[in-house]
């Protein structure tokens, strides 16, 4: 599979490491210039390009950028494209976003408004970037971590779930984009190591607008 990545931060780089190790082709991009990604490309062994080039390159496009960058996402990431939303709303970084604060939309629904026609799937946002590589395990290996995946397009969601499985995690169908708030930032399932049963429980007890203590996910673990 060819995976284009918009955003060259730690999430993209660590997903890229897993993908390349499993034989996928990757192109990483940022908001500046491919020249600024020379070291990243060399270290990962991947291609680099502009955001538009990465979007056109990928069978799937992973977006991992601040919400303030949504307006600058390229047209190539729109109609018909499968786009993985790995973004999280962080008011300290993004500023206050009224629609999200009032729980009128999820971050993925917001991204869908910026990328009309794209097939948005929420995934890879509910794990800390530094845990992506060390927590990945082969299928059937004991202690495999489960990750939630949400989307409105069944075929796109299934493809992303298969990719999640291939990269070393048990995918869990967490419903539609409207339900993806259940694993957004500061929800019980956010960035906590969980197996399938633990993830199902954490998603079920989530209450919209009720956040877990800030940073508590850095020391939580609920693996069988």
């Amino acid at each position: 599979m060819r995976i284009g990545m918009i955003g060259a931060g730690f999430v993209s780089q660590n997903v890229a490491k897993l993908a390349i190790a499993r034989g996928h082709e990757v192109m990483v991009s940022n908001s500046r210039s491919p020249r600024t990604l020379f070291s990243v490309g060399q270290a990962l062994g991947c291609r680099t390009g502009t955001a538009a080039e990465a979007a056109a390159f990928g069978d799937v496009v992973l977006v991992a950028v601040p919400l303030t960058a949504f307006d600058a996402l390229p047209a190539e990431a729109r109609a018909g494209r499968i786009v993985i939303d790995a973004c999280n709303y962080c008011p300290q970084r993004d500023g206050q976003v009224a629609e999200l604060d009032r729980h009128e939309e999820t971050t993925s629904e917001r991204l869908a408004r910026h990328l009309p026609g794209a097939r948005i799937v929420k995934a890879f946002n509910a794990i800390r970037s530094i845990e992506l590589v060390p927590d990945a395990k082969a299928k059937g290996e004991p202690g495999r971590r489960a990750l939630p995946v949400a989307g409105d397009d069944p075929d796109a969601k299934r493809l992303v779930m298969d990719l999640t499985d291939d990269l070393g995690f048990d995918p869990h169908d967490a419903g539609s984009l409207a339900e993806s708030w259940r694993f957004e930032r500061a929800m019980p399932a956010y960035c906590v190591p969980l197996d399938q049963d633990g993830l199902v429980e954490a998603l079920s007890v989530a209450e919209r607008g009720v956040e877990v203590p800030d940073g508590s996910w850095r020391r939580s673990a609920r693996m069988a």
Side-chain angles (χ1 to χ4, degrees):
M1 184 185 300
R2 289 157 64 103
I3 306 171
M5 298 191 173
I6 299 178
F10 294 127
V11 171
S12 293
Q13 290 185 37
N14 283 297
V15 171
K17 288 178 185 177
L18 293 173
I20 291 166
R22 287 153 179 81
H24 299 286
E25 296 181 64
V26 172
M27 178 182 286
V28 174
S29 69
N30 63 13
S31 60
R32 299 187 294 278
S33 160
R35 290 193 299 273
T36 65
L37 294 171
F38 176 79
S39 296
V40 171
Q42 290 290 304
L44 293 176
C46 70
R47 306 184 193 190
T48 60
T50 65
E53 289 169 341
F57 169 85
D59 302 311
V60 172
V61 180
L62 183 141
V63 175
V65 298
L67 271 61
T68 51
F70 280 8
D71 286 333
L73 292 172
E76 288 82 357
R78 296 179 186 172
R81 188 73 66 181
I82 297 176
V83 175
I84 301 174
D85 171 23
C87 306
N88 285 302
Y89 172 41
C90 299
Q92 301 93 327
R93 177 196 64 197
D94 301 319
Q96 299 298 140
V97 179
E99 295 87 351
L100 296 176
D101 291 338
R102 292 195 298 262
H103 312 301
E104 294 172 357
E105 63 183 4
T106 65
T107 58
S108 290
E109 290 174 316
R110 187 174 189 82
L111 180 61
R113 289 200 291 107
H114 284 78
L115 297 176
R119 302 157 71 190
I120 307 293
V121 180
K122 187 76 169 179
F124 297 112
N125 72 299
I127 179 171
R128 296 174 66 201
S129 60
I130 60 172
E131 295 171 351
L132 277 160
V133 173
D135 281 13
K137 296 181 183 294
K139 190 169 185 175
E141 189 174 344
R144 203 172 194 229
R145 184 167 175 171
L147 293 181
V149 180
D152 297 337
D153 183 303
D155 292 336
K157 181 161 59 173
R158 171 46 57 191
L159 185 147
V160 175
M161 290 180 70
D162 288 345
L163 178 62
T164 301
D165 190 11
D166 188 39
L167 297 191
F169 302 93
D170 285 339
H172 175 76
D173 188 339
S176 66
L177 294 183
E179 287 295 305
S180 64
W181 63 267
R182 292 183 178 276
F183 57 98
E184 288 181 342
R185 182 183 179 279
M187 291 292 102
Y190 176 72
C191 291
V192 179
L194 301 165
D195 58 16
Q196 282 280 10
D197 291 341
L199 179 56
V200 169
E201 179 185 359
L203 292 170
S204 70
V205 300
E207 297 181 61
R208 203 158 195 180
V210 179
E211 298 186 350
V212 301
D214 186 51
S216 63
W217 47 85
R218 295 189 180 94
R219 55 183 178 272
S220 298
R222 280 178 255 164
M223 295 287 288

